[in-house]
Amino acid sequence: MKEESSKSVSAEKLREELRYIADEERELEKRFNVLGSLDEIVLILQGWMSGREISDSDRAFRLAYLLPQPDLLKLVPSILEWVGSDRYYPHPLRLLGMLSRGELKEVLVPEVFRCLREDSSLDYYSWWRFARLLYYLGFESDVRRIASLALVNPDPEIREMGEDMIYDLL
């Protein structure tokens, strides 16, 4: 009997905490909307995401969820910087998944291919992460393009990852 009553107290406490969090979230959104120009906010978040200060990155991701779609689209290049991070990978996936597919494709796909083309420091796992991101977002034809590029890459590990992309994702 005591166990059941302590569970119900815990459940009630949990309900209270969830209400508090929801109310705080609503208040945060109100405060966020009166801070100033969204363009200024986007610039600050871009800076936080582009830096490597973990506390700023955490803040930037939490605040990015509050942005309207047009402003979130402006953060796509900064968001992509975190695709290779095990700790932060869920954020890019979730944030990009919040955007409309058509507008996202126009911004995301060229940016992914720019990264693959211009950043020679990307390893095979980064190629895999980009391919998997596009796969999860439903852009399979672009995953096929990444796999094709990987197959002709001079790095043997990236070529092998291209084969894995075809086998696992296509």
Side-chain angles (χ1 to χ4, degrees):
M1 287 271 178
K2 285 185 180 182
E3 255 183 64
E4 286 181 29
S5 66
S6 69
K7 282 184 183 179
S8 64
V9 169
S10 295
E12 185 55 38
K13 178 72 173 159
L14 179 60
R15 281 195 228 20
E16 286 176 31
E17 287 298 316
L18 290 173
R19 285 184 193 109
Y20 175 77
I21 291 168
D23 291 343
E24 287 296 310
E25 172 103 8
R26 194 172 322 132
E27 183 60 31
L28 174 64
E29 198 167 337
K30 285 180 198 173
R31 289 174 52 202
F32 185 76
N33 288 329
V34 298
L35 282 176
S37 160
L38 283 176
D39 289 335
E40 291 174 42
I41 292 170
V42 167
L43 286 173
I44 291 168
L45 296 183
Q46 284 171 331
W48 286 355
M49 285 182 182
S50 296
R52 292 296 177 216
E53 186 64 41
I54 296 299
S55 61
D56 285 343
S57 301
D58 284 334
R59 288 182 186 107
F61 281 118
R62 284 194 306 270
L63 293 170
Y65 290 106
L66 301 174
L67 288 173
Q69 182 165 317
D71 296 297
L72 187 53
L73 278 167
K74 294 174 189 174
L75 286 177
V76 167
S78 299
I79 291 169
L80 281 180
E81 291 181 31
W82 293 94
V83 167
S85 165
D86 288 335
R87 176 179 177 175
Y88 287 101
Y89 184 73
H91 288 294
L93 189 60
R94 185 172 167 208
L95 283 166
L96 297 173
M98 292 169 50
L99 297 166
S100 75
R101 203 164 176 267
E103 289 181 343
L104 175 60
K105 184 172 176 115
E106 289 176 24
V107 175
L108 176 67
V109 172
E111 188 62 24
V112 165
F113 282 96
R114 185 198 63 74
C115 290
L116 293 173
R117 187 178 57 253
E118 295 177 7
D119 190 347
S120 60
S121 70
L122 293 178
D123 63 0
Y124 70 95
Y125 193 61
S126 298
W127 281 68
W128 171 255
R129 282 286 176 99
F130 280 125
R132 196 169 79 172
L133 176 71
L134 294 180
Y135 174 80
Y136 285 144
L137 294 169
F139 304 135
E140 286 187 27
S141 64
D142 299 300
V143 174
R144 192 174 314 285
R145 286 176 49 208
I146 290 176
S148 296
L149 288 173
L151 290 171
V152 296
N153 191 287
D155 184 326
E157 289 181 322
I158 293 175
R159 286 196 307 270
E160 185 178 336
M161 186 54 67
E163 293 172 10
D164 291 346
M165 288 175 204
I166 291 169
Y167 181 75
D168 294 336
L169 302 177
L170 299 172

